[in-house]
Amino acid sequence: GHIVRNWKVRWFVLLQDKLLYYKIEGGKKEPSPKGRILLDGCTITCPCLEYENRPLLIKLKTKTNTDYFLECCSREERDSWALDITGAIHAGHPVQVQELHRMKNSFKLLENISLHHIVERMCDSSTGIKLTRNLEQGNRYKETFTGSALVDWLISNSFAVSRFEAVTLASMLMEENFIKPVGARSTEATRYSDLSEQFLDDSTALYMFAESSKKKISSKEELQFNISELRGTIVKQGFLVKQGHKRKNWKVRRFVLRADPAFLHYYDPTKEENRPVGGFSLRGCLVSALEDNGVPAGVKGNVQGNLFKIITKNDIHYYIQASSKAERAQWIEAIKPLT
């Protein structure tokens, strides 16, 4: 928000020359836009590292110097939005758009490599990356490492076979807020919008572990949860309205459907940390639409229709509202093959 600096769920629509955003009420977007961002003369920063606990940000600065910070649901969605917005900004420059597509497609995390596992290895007291004190432009920095040192470490520990691959992994670690730049040299590089220029393979560029990375790997149980449930391929994601199990109230939640392993997780969009507040395995589940002619048993409160129901193999019932019949059908169609 521009006046009260809080974070709110908004529904965005990208047009050729502007971004429209709508207010969400009861899982539905209002007919008139809440506001608009004119793209002519905009500059885009992605990833934006101005908020340490929000690694999935896009920053837009208009030609009137108004800053917009937009948080996405995942790295894939963030990069996709950034690519399409950049394409709209540079619509008259097809070569730049092609280059952005090439860069986006080259930044893929190799299969069976977990960023959490890499950071855990980096923090190992005996085999991890060596932390040193460094001096840059009169400023002293404790427990830092250089960009070239991290690239060397990733290659020597077989996480990458080339310096390009190592820079790709290091960029992802920075994008996901496991590491952060410190000092003028590395911080200046983050102002570039091209992903290839975010992380520097340089002996004068300094980096350190972000505070949030220590929290992410502090618990073995939490680490196992992240690897086993959240590593699946994202099949579908979006905002739906879910009924609570205890208070039976309805709240907007961001749902993420993953395959292999098949899980449905939901997130609280008002919370800063990007961790699910709930989720369950889809194996053995039943999913079906509920008729709109009356309130089904087990459903309470403000029901606007377009309901569907998921019953887990442990007989836990989830009631969820979509914004339209078409959206409900899309979710059911996506979930069914994974049960």
Side-chain angles (χ1 to χ4, degrees):
H2 288 292
I3 300 174
V4 180
R5 296 289 182 177
N6 55 353
W7 297 85
K8 293 182 178 178
V9 177
R10 293 290 182 257
W11 179 270
F12 278 81
V13 176
L14 175 61
L15 304 180
Q16 284 187 332
D17 60 344
K18 56 182 166 287
L19 262 178
L20 304 180
Y21 53 94
Y22 297 79
K23 190 176 180 181
I24 299 290
E25 289 290 347
K28 297 181 178 180
K29 71 180 179 71
E30 292 187 339
S32 300
K34 183 79 174 175
R36 68 193 65 215
I37 304 172
L38 298 178
L39 298 178
D40 180 39
C42 263
T43 58
I44 182 170
T45 303
C46 177
C48 171
L49 303 177
E50 294 189 27
Y51 289 84
E52 182 174 341
N53 293 323
R54 293 180 179 272
L56 302 178
L57 284 184
I58 296 171
K59 178 182 178 181
L60 290 177
K61 181 184 282 292
T62 68
K63 65 179 180 181
T64 58
N65 289 323
T66 302
D67 291 338
Y68 291 88
F69 294 93
L70 316 176
E71 183 174 35
C72 301
C73 300
S74 66
R75 188 181 71 238
E76 292 82 6
E77 185 179 68
R78 179 197 61 194
D79 293 346
S80 177
W81 272 99
L83 182 71
D84 291 336
I85 293 171
T86 305
I89 293 173
H90 300 297
H93 305 279
V95 175
Q96 291 185 23
V97 177
Q98 289 175 7
E99 177 65 14
L100 285 163
H101 275 281
R102 187 189 69 78
M103 287 307 306
K104 175 176 179 284
N105 292 333
S106 69
F107 269 69
K108 300 291 185 183
L109 185 62
L110 299 177
E111 275 190 53
N112 302 322
I113 292 183
S114 162
L115 295 182
H116 293 273
H117 176 58
I118 294 174
V119 176
E120 186 182 40
R121 289 278 300 277
M122 287 175 65
C123 293
D124 189 277
S125 58
S126 58
T127 61
I129 191 165
K130 186 178 180 181
L131 302 179
T132 61
R133 292 186 179 186
N134 283 282
L135 180 68
E136 185 191 63
Q137 297 182 352
N139 295 318
R140 290 187 178 276
Y141 299 98
K142 297 180 179 179
E143 298 188 328
T144 61
F145 47 87
T146 67
S148 57
L150 178 54
V151 170
D152 292 339
W153 185 89
L154 289 169
I155 294 173
S156 64
N157 284 270
S158 302
F159 288 114
V161 297
S162 67
R163 300 196 79 79
F164 176 79
E165 284 188 9
V167 169
T168 300
L169 278 176
S171 299
M172 290 181 175
L173 290 170
M174 192 166 65
E175 288 177 57
E176 297 303 320
N177 207 36
F178 287 105
I179 64 174
K180 65 180 181 180
V182 290
R185 182 84 171 88
S186 57
T187 302
E188 177 68 23
T190 63
R191 297 180 184 177
Y192 291 99
S193 59
D194 288 345
L195 290 175
S196 61
E197 300 177 358
Q198 291 288 324
F199 180 87
L200 298 178
D201 179 7
D202 194 307
S203 61
T204 64
L206 302 180
Y207 299 87
M208 67 187 303
F209 289 110
E211 286 299 317
S212 59
S213 69
K214 297 174 183 176
K215 297 174 185 176
K216 288 179 182 178
I217 64 170
S218 60
S219 166
K220 288 288 184 181
E221 182 179 349
E222 179 179 331
L223 181 65
Q224 185 61 36
F225 170 79
N226 283 323
I227 292 176
S228 63
E229 293 189 16
L230 302 182
R231 69 182 175 188
T233 303
I234 295 178
V235 176
K236 185 175 177 60
Q237 57 185 313
F239 292 99
L240 299 167
V241 185
K242 172 185 166 296
Q243 180 178 262
H245 288 292
K246 295 180 180 179
R247 298 178 61 186
K248 303 297 182 183
N249 53 347
W250 293 89
K251 291 185 178 179
V252 175
R253 292 289 181 255
R254 175 170 64 85
F255 280 79
V256 178
L257 176 64
R258 292 180 173 89
D260 193 27
F263 274 84
L264 183 63
H265 292 97
Y266 49 94
Y267 300 72
D268 185 344
T270 65
K271 290 187 176 180
E272 290 191 358
E273 57 182 11
N274 191 40
R275 283 187 53 77
V277 294
F280 50 90
S281 170
L282 290 173
R283 295 303 180 193
C285 283
L286 299 174
V287 57
S288 63
L290 297 177
E291 297 298 330
D292 295 334
N293 54 355
V295 180
V299 175
K300 296 182 180 180
N302 183 24
V303 180
Q304 300 180 21
N306 305 315
L307 280 168
F308 64 97
K309 180 180 181 179
I310 301 176
I311 305 176
T312 71
K313 65 179 181 180
N314 296 325
D315 200 33
I316 298 174
H317 295 220
Y318 289 86
Y319 295 96
I320 302 169
Q321 294 188 60
S323 61
S324 66
K325 288 185 178 180
E327 184 183 38
R328 175 177 65 181
Q330 290 170 6
W331 273 99
I332 293 173
E333 184 179 349
I335 291 171
K336 274 188 175 179
L338 303 177
T339 59

